Amino acid sequence: MPRSASLAPLFATAKMSLRDALQRLDETGGGPLLLVDDAGRLQRMVTDGDLRRLILAGCSQSATLDELPTGNPITASMDTSIVDLDALFERGQVTAIPRLDSAGVPRVLERRDSSGPILLSTPHLGDLEQKFVKQAFDTNWIAPLGPQVEGFESELAEYSENGQVAALSSGTSALHLGLILLGVKDGDRIYCPSFTFAASANPIRYERAIPVFIDSELDTWNMSPAALERALVRDKARGTLPAAVIIANLYGQSADMDALISLCDAYRVPVLEDAAESLGASYKGRKSGSFGKLSAFSFNGNKIITTSGGGALCCDDEELIARARFLSTQAREPAAHYEHREIGFNYRMSNILAGIGRGQLKVLDERVRRRREIFELYRDALDGVEGIDWMPEPEGYFSTRWLTAATFSRDCGLDRTRILNGLQSVGIEARPLWKPMHCQPVFQAYEYEPHSENRSVSDELFESGLCLPSGSNMSDATVLRIAEQIRYLAEG
Ligand SMILES: *Cc1c(COP(=O)(O)O)cnc(C)c1O
């Protein structure tokens, strides 16, 4: 298991000869050995210096580690926080600390694998962002708009398989303009997933439209075609069909677009795709974020690529995107003086941030590869732990695994809150899955269509699921350490 080699305990027993111990130290790059008793309990650490001192004192190389004085090693427990561990490394000036589990069996943590709290998803910049930003500085193009914005728009259009892109100040502003471009007005009903981030739903209320929340399905965790169909049938009969359907693709994975879009087409309801979490993913060979009549991306700081804050609205219709650009720059009519016939917004992306976006787009596929690798590390390291299930990736779907997401089964004795708190208390940031919109105080008065009469999938996911740290700049050792902590909490 080369991947976890750095975490493999370097065990020795009292029966080991000095010669063998020296050789082991040599092979393992000098890290201390852990002297354990027959039950695997730690007795002391053994360093190269300890062995040399014995030899200098006249011990032969065939003497055993029994000759060593009893030790008093620096140890920690599996419940010691990352911050306290870092303090122990500092105080003891050691490169590895064994952490004793509840049975007293040590697991080694190396200092190079420990550095402060572990966050859910942090920005990860490449080499080119500074070059593009410098271009903006060098040409004094700090004011909004300029060549970096145009470059970013055409490069994102090409990557995301969209004809047209408007670079905007956030994913939320992209969704808001998307609704406006679809003609949504006061009192219109808009279908929206219940299982999503509030930013999918908030823009509905900006326009005083009425959200109707639709449940998820278990196969994708995204919008349930069964619930969507039931709502459409009912609303058609009542004469209250929605003005638009927002479909979100969560945690890096597309919704079941064939099923959902054919339903929306059949009822002639346009789709606004919230692809804020799925840039880089694909569905049946086509890029996520190219399925809606309009689609929105986000470049917020925690997304798979970031401009520190930003978003984009995409579609194939040049006129719609021209209008998005117009509305996002205060709806200024082409006149030397400032002429306005409509209410506009200040929603455009700045030239500086677009420069960062161009650099980030170049590393996007690399980031996707790493996020998927991180997911696989978790899955393999937690293989065999009863009751952990990963977000499914059905055949034909390609998820970015933006966040590694899992559910923890109560039936197997696992409680996601206990695991969440256990991780939090040692300095590892995990999060529950999105709390459904129909359960949010601000939205609970609106209608909700569950997956089936007696099953609400979004409630089940929220109650049992967690997102794990998934930043593409995490090392393998960090992921394995988190997995080890989860295994300890799950089995402990
Ligand atoms: C992040 C996110 C948004 C909003 O994007 P911002 O750029 O933060 O405004 C919208 N929908 C979903 C599902 C998101 O995860």
Side-chain angles (χ1 to χ4, degrees):
M1 294 217 314
R3 266 179 177 163
S4 56
S6 66
L7 289 183
L10 316 168
F11 294 117
T13 65
K15 310 228 167 25
M16 189 179 237
S17 70
L18 302 191
R19 184 182 302 107
D20 289 349
L22 279 166
Q23 195 184 337
R24 274 283 275 285
L25 277 172
D26 221 33
E27 287 163 7
T28 55
L33 300 181
L34 303 178
L35 185 62
V36 292
D37 66 12
D38 291 341
R41 281 184 302 255
L42 185 70
Q43 302 303 300
R44 58 163 296 149
M45 312 274 275
V46 182
T47 65
D48 192 67
D50 294 331
L51 301 177
R52 307 256 167 234
R53 271 189 293 280
L54 284 183
I55 291 165
L56 280 175
C59 278
S60 92
Q61 295 223 356
S62 47
T64 65
L65 298 183
D66 253 339
E67 302 292 332
L68 286 165
T70 353
N72 186 19
I74 295 181
T75 58
S77 81
M78 289 298 287
D79 300 315
T80 308
S81 80
I82 288 175
V83 174
D84 291 344
L85 279 166
D86 286 343
L88 279 177
F89 279 123
E90 193 55 41
R91 221 169 37 233
Q93 288 299 312
V94 289
T95 56
I97 291 179
R99 292 187 298 161
L100 305 178
D101 68 13
S102 36
V105 176
R107 307 158 193 234
V108 177
L109 180 70
E110 300 209 32
R111 180 169 198 170
R112 63 163 182 266
D113 299 331
S114 184
S115 60
I118 300 169
L119 301 174
L120 194 67
S121 179
T122 54
H124 185 181
L125 295 186
D127 302 325
L128 286 172
E129 289 82 348
Q130 291 203 10
K131 187 190 106 186
F132 289 117
V133 171
K134 185 167 182 302
Q135 275 175 15
F137 269 86
D138 290 348
T139 52
N140 200 25
W141 230 310
I142 306 299
L145 297 187
Q148 301 298 343
V149 173
E150 283 155 33
F152 183 53
E153 287 180 341
S154 66
E155 286 154 16
L156 179 60
E158 182 173 349
Y159 181 92
S160 67
E161 299 173 3
N162 278 290
Q164 300 287 325
V165 168
L168 302 172
S169 55
S170 68
T172 310
S173 59
L175 290 165
H176 185 197
L177 284 184
L179 289 175
I180 292 172
L181 293 174
L182 293 177
V184 169
K185 50 187 196 315
D186 196 338
D188 281 349
R189 290 160 67 80
I190 308 293
Y191 289 2
C192 176
S194 185
F195 187 60
T196 187
F197 178 47
S200 303
N202 285 335
I204 300 171
R205 294 299 298 141
Y206 299 168
E207 291 306 307
R208 298 177 185 281
I210 312 295
V212 175
F213 294 111
I214 310 288
D215 197 11
S216 292
E217 59 166 349
L218 279 169
D219 288 354
T220 63
W221 294 10
N222 289 311
M223 187 179 277
S224 156
L228 174 66
E229 180 161 31
R230 205 175 320 108
L232 286 168
V233 167
R234 183 200 53 218
D235 278 353
K236 166 105 183 171
R238 292 200 311 212
T240 57
L241 277 175
V245 176
I246 298 172
I247 302 176
N249 310 306
L250 296 187
Y251 305 123
Q253 178 164 276
S254 176
D256 182 359
M257 289 302 181
D258 280 351
L260 297 171
I261 290 190
S262 64
L263 278 167
C264 293
D265 285 349
Y267 289 82
R268 297 177 193 282
V269 185
V271 169
L272 174 57
E273 185 181 6
D274 180 351
E277 299 183 8
S278 64
L279 178 61
S282 58
Y283 171 81
K284 301 194 178 170
R286 192 168 135 195
K287 281 274 159 56
S288 186
S290 67
F291 289 88
K293 174 156 191 204
L294 288 151
S295 303
F297 291 118
S298 165
F299 307 103
N300 192 18
N302 61 356
K303 297 293 176 357
I304 196 158
I305 61 169
T306 180
T307 57
S308 80
L313 188 63
C314 315
C315 75
D316 284 333
D317 182 335
E318 200 169 340
E319 259 174 56
L320 274 183
I321 289 300
R323 189 157 161 75
R325 294 196 184 108
F326 167 76
L327 289 174
S328 70
T329 47
Q330 311 284 22
R332 250 170 66 194
E333 299 293 334
H337 62 273
Y338 287 74
E339 174 91 358
H340 303 276
R341 295 170 198 277
E342 291 178 73
I343 300 296
F345 301 89
N346 183 4
Y347 276 175
R348 202 75 164 110
M349 179 180 278
S350 82
N351 202 44
I352 290 283
L353 298 192
I356 300 176
R358 295 183 78 185
Q360 287 272 277
L361 266 184
K362 300 253 189 298
V363 293
L364 173 53
D365 284 338
E366 230 170 275
R367 299 294 182 262
V368 171
R369 213 172 310 124
R370 181 63 187 154
R371 297 254 178 182
R372 287 181 61 90
E373 236 169 57
I374 286 170
F375 163 73
E376 283 160 17
L377 279 169
Y378 275 121
R379 189 195 52 197
D380 295 350
L382 289 166
D383 191 33
V385 180
E386 197 77 15
I388 300 185
D389 285 303
W390 306 100
M391 182 178 187
E393 185 185 37
E395 175 105 29
Y397 291 65
F398 178 81
S399 168
T400 66
R401 299 285 180 186
W402 167 56
L403 294 182
T404 288
T407 55
F408 297 82
S409 157
R410 284 242 176 83
D411 295 341
C412 298
L414 301 185
D415 171 12
R416 73 106 156 108
T417 307
R418 193 175 59 76
I419 303 226
L420 177 73
N421 293 340
L423 291 173
Q424 211 74 42
S425 72
V426 298
I428 298 170
E429 181 190 36
R431 292 282 168 132
L433 301 180
W434 296 127
K435 178 173 178 175
M437 292 304 115
H438 72 273
C439 305
Q440 297 285 0
V442 68
F443 290 125
Q444 66 193 5
Y446 298 102
E447 279 173 55
Y448 170 57
E449 191 66 45
H451 178 62
S452 72
E453 243 169 67
N454 43 22
R455 186 149 201 202
S456 173
V457 169
S458 56
D459 281 280
E460 291 173 19
L461 290 171
F462 173 60
E463 279 154 25
S464 63
L466 291 180
C467 301
L468 304 177
S470 307
S472 46
N473 42 13
M474 282 197 307
S475 69
D476 284 11
T478 299
V479 181
L480 292 170
R481 171 181 185 183
I482 301 165
E484 185 179 62
Q485 198 74 34
I486 294 170
R487 181 182 281 274
Y488 165 75
L489 291 164
E491 291 174 348

